[in-house]
Structure formats: structure tokens, C-alpha cells
Amino acid sequence: NIEFHDKHSILLYMTQDATPYFNLSRHPMNASSRSRSNQGRRAGKSSNFSLLAVIGVIAISAWAYLESTSSINTYIRSDDEAGLSRRSLSEAVGENTSLTSDADASPKEPTQDEDAAEVEPLQKFIIVSQQRSGTRLLTSLLDKHSSIRCGHDDLFLRLHHGPLHKLIEEGTVDEYMDQVHLSMELLPRLLGDNVDGELTDVGFAIMYHQGVTAFHANLFHALKEEGVKIIHLVRKNKLMQYVTMDSHYNSNGTVSGDVDKVLDFLLVTNGETIYVDDLIFAEYGEDGFHTVYYEDLANNEEKEMNRIFDYLNVAHEVVESEFVETHGGKKAREYFAEDDREKVEEAIKESEYEFMLEPDLPGYPGW
């Protein structure tokens, strides 16, 4: 079964089970139209034959159109390989073709500039972070640069061919890297490669639980070997990370005041951040990766973005994000129900995370 993706139908591929079925007809018959009575089928044999003939002509026309114009990857899936075999359109039907046929096109010798453009690889980067740490803000800012295309972590989840948790639990780091490269290849086409300048850098974000804490040092070793740059996005105030995350999933905007839940969150997120930072440092060295703190980014976007641009070796540009701060000015205690505030405060004070109640951080309104 050959499954095609053009510029519009690529979104059909972005599903959790990621088994892309794209009918050559954009309006496939539904179940009710296919379920005819026996009497109707007998009475309409000639009509059905004519209908099938018309559908066949449409299918062949669509095949020819997609073969001549599509530059999006084609995925080849066989029952034996259970969807694990992939090859690009150029491998399946030859090199990408233009709107004119090979017979009509006159031979053209590639210029020196064209040769250089073909062999010049894009610089790849990955943003490593935790949930509710400002990844949407950072990825949107990076994607505004004239030479960069950057996607959020949900892009990697949707472009992955199959459930990501299965790849993480049962796959190898090499298989994981295959998915990274595939996502990097598709990302400019999905987000649009019509940047204002020359596209030089492409990347996306992944959360710790989306492979980092499964493959550990092996993942960063593989990324380093492939020349992938790492941006570590960290939120210093784990207490605010907790309230913004928990309130995000509660319709009334409040958070759980369960003391054990709060302290466990602070313990796990703080420990994960230190652990991942150590992993990156061990592979990339002190100057080989870039750490950006969410609080600093929110307080001075231009300064922090220029530091990131320097790390990626791209020109400084003024970029603006469409995302706005939704929790600005609200004190941390206001997220908790009144009956829970005192016990939560006391529990944190008695723990090693007392400093999180009143840290000296830009933009933090206090407990």
C-alpha cells in the first residue's frame, strides 16, 4: 500500500497511532454508501461498473498529479513490515519532478551555487526541557527567526510513526535517532520553508520523559555524534511550575493542596533537572551546550534570545512571540484553596525547598 502525503494531507499523518491512510479520492465513500442491499447491487451492476470506471480514472489522474508535483515524503508500508519501512518519494519514484515532464524540460547544468546549496546540511538542534517550563514561548521565538524553523514537542509526537511510548520502552537509541532525523526532515515542509532568509537551522523540543530519561547518556552521545546542538531550557521555580501545571488540568484553575503531592513534585522535577544537566555536561562539556532559564527569558527576551542566536551561530534578530503570560502577577498561594494554603506553606518551609517560597527571581510575585 502506497500512502501519499501532499502539502494539505500531511496533517492526516499527524495522529497518535500514526498510521496514515490517504485515499487518492479526497471524498472516499462512507460505510453507508458502500453498504447496498443485494437487490440494489443486482439492479445497478451496469451503473456500479460505470462508477468504478470513473473512480479508476480519477485515481489514475490523482496518481499522475501527485507524482509530478509532490515534494513531500512518501511512506511505503507493507503488512510484513508493519509500517516500519520508509523511503522517500525520490527513492520510490525517482528524483522530485517539476511541473513539466522530463521530456519537455531542457537539460540544465547545475551552477556552483546550486551545488553548494544541495550539499550544505542544515544545523540541527533540540530543546530539552520539562512541561510548563516555557517551551512554547521559546520554540515560537526561535521559529520567528528568518533562518530557523522550530517546532514544539507535540510535533515530534505526531510525526513519530507509531506510539512514542512503545519506541521508548521497546526501541533502541538508534531507532529513536531515526525518528529524530525523520522529524527534522519533515519539519521545514510542515511549518513552511519559505523563510525570509536562507534556512540554516531546524529543531524542536522534547520533554525529559519523551526519551531523555529512557536512553540517558546514550541519547546525548548519539546526538553529539550527529552534530545536534542542545538547548537546555530550565524553570528555576519548581513551585510555580507545579501550580501552572496542575491548574492547567483543572477547570476551576486551582491546584491540589495534597502536601505529599506537592513535595514529591518538587523532589522529582528538581532532581530530574540536575540529572539531565549532568548528562548533557558529561557529553557536550561546559561550552558545548546552552542553558537558558525561563525566568530570564520572560524577563528579558531580547538579551536571552541573542545568547541563543550566538550559540546557534545565526544573526541577531528582534523576534516576538504570539504567546502571552497567563499567570503573570498571581502569587503562588492564590492557586491553592484557602484551607490548604497554610499547611502547604508549612510543609515547604520544613523541607529542603524552603527557598522556593521566596526565591529572588525575575517576574516572580512571591508566595
Side-chain angles (χ1 to χ4, degrees):
N1 297 322
I2 302 180
E3 299 143 359
F4 291 90
H5 298 277
D6 62 12
K7 294 178 181 178
H8 304 288
S9 64
I10 185 66
L11 293 178
L12 297 179
Y13 179 69
M14 296 172 63
T15 57
Q16 286 299 324
D17 60 2
T19 304
Y21 292 100
F22 172 58
N23 292 319
L24 292 177
S25 169
R26 286 194 177 276
H27 304 284
M29 293 184 293
N30 57 33
S32 61
S33 65
R34 290 196 300 267
S35 300
R36 306 289 186 183
S37 66
N38 291 334
Q39 179 179 1
R41 284 196 297 269
R42 287 195 300 270
K45 283 184 179 179
S46 61
S47 298
N48 287 345
F49 179 82
S50 299
L51 178 61
L52 290 174
V54 171
I55 293 175
V57 172
I58 294 174
I60 293 172
S61 300
W63 168 286
Y65 172 77
L66 288 173
E67 182 178 7
S68 64
T69 63
S70 176
S71 62
I72 300 298
N73 282 3
T74 300
Y75 295 85
I76 309 301
R77 178 179 182 273
S78 68
D79 292 335
D80 292 338
E81 295 172 326
L84 297 179
S85 175
R86 305 176 187 80
R87 51 197 179 104
S88 65
L89 180 61
S90 61
E91 292 172 316
V93 295
E95 295 300 322
N96 293 338
T97 57
S98 64
L99 293 176
T100 59
S101 67
D102 291 340
D104 296 332
S106 57
K108 179 183 177 182
E109 291 295 329
T111 65
Q112 185 175 356
D113 291 340
E114 289 174 338
D115 284 339
E118 290 176 0
V119 300
E120 186 68 25
L122 295 176
Q123 172 63 58
K124 300 179 178 65
F125 65 89
I126 284 182
I127 301 168
V128 179
S129 190
Q130 291 172 316
Q131 291 175 299
R132 311 306 294 181
S133 295
T135 49
R136 288 196 181 275
L137 172 63
L138 180 55
T139 54
S140 65
L141 286 169
L142 283 169
D143 196 55
K144 295 297 184 180
H145 192 280
S146 62
S147 300
I148 299 174
R149 277 292 171 262
C150 183
H152 194 247
D153 68 285
D154 53 6
L155 181 139
F156 181 51
L157 287 173
R158 292 168 180 173
L159 287 182
H160 168 57
H161 190 82
L164 185 61
H165 70 85
K166 186 174 182 180
L167 172 65
I168 293 173
E169 294 171 1
E170 303 177 10
T172 66
V173 68
D174 289 337
E175 292 170 334
Y176 186 90
M177 287 298 298
D178 287 342
Q179 297 304 311
V180 169
H181 288 305
L182 176 63
S183 298
M184 293 285 190
E185 179 183 350
L186 290 176
L187 188 148
R189 300 173 183 180
L190 182 63
L191 298 181
D193 56 6
N194 55 331
V195 295
D196 294 335
E198 179 186 359
L199 180 62
T200 61
D201 294 63
V202 60
F204 54 83
I206 59 172
M207 303 295 105
Y208 292 169
H209 68 278
Q210 293 170 348
V212 176
T213 54
F215 299 113
H216 309 281
N218 291 334
L219 176 59
F220 291 110
H221 178 74
L223 292 169
K224 177 71 179 302
E225 289 291 306
E226 297 289 341
V228 179
K229 291 189 173 183
I230 299 294
I231 299 173
H232 192 194
L233 175 61
V234 176
R235 187 164 192 165
K236 295 179 183 179
N237 194 337
K238 303 301 184 184
L239 180 58
M240 283 303 297
Q241 188 175 337
Y242 170 79
V243 297
T244 55
M245 180 182 294
D246 210 49
S247 63
H248 179 73
Y249 297 107
N250 293 330
S251 58
N252 59 5
T254 62
V255 299
S256 171
D258 185 318
V259 170
D260 290 336
K261 180 179 179 180
V262 175
L263 293 180
D264 285 347
F265 181 90
L266 299 181
L267 173 67
V268 171
T269 54
N270 194 56
E272 279 185 346
T273 298
I274 296 172
Y275 174 68
V276 172
D277 193 74
D278 287 344
L279 289 179
I280 304 173
F281 179 84
E283 190 62 45
Y284 280 78
E286 184 176 0
D287 300 324
F289 69 104
H290 181 75
T291 299
V292 56
Y293 296 103
Y294 166 73
E295 289 84 359
D296 296 334
L297 178 63
N299 185 57
N300 193 332
E301 282 186 5
E302 184 176 357
K303 176 182 177 181
E304 294 304 315
M305 291 308 299
N306 284 339
R307 292 177 64 229
I308 296 174
F309 294 151
D310 287 340
Y311 172 67
L312 296 177
N313 198 27
V314 297
H316 289 191
E317 291 184 6
V318 177
V319 291
E320 295 181 358
S321 171
E322 65 272 20
F323 290 96
V324 296
E325 176 61 57
T326 58
H327 299 277
K330 190 174 182 180
K331 293 185 178 293
R333 66 183 295 111
E334 297 179 43
Y335 289 91
F336 294 89
E338 290 188 16
D339 295 340
D340 294 333
R341 293 174 183 175
E342 185 175 346
K343 68 177 182 179
V344 170
E345 182 179 5
E346 288 302 316
I348 296 177
K349 282 183 177 180
E350 295 174 0
S351 73
E352 59 185 302
Y353 306 111
E354 181 181 6
F355 69 94
M356 292 188 181
L357 289 173
E358 298 293 345
D360 184 17
L361 294 175
Y364 177 57
W367 164 253

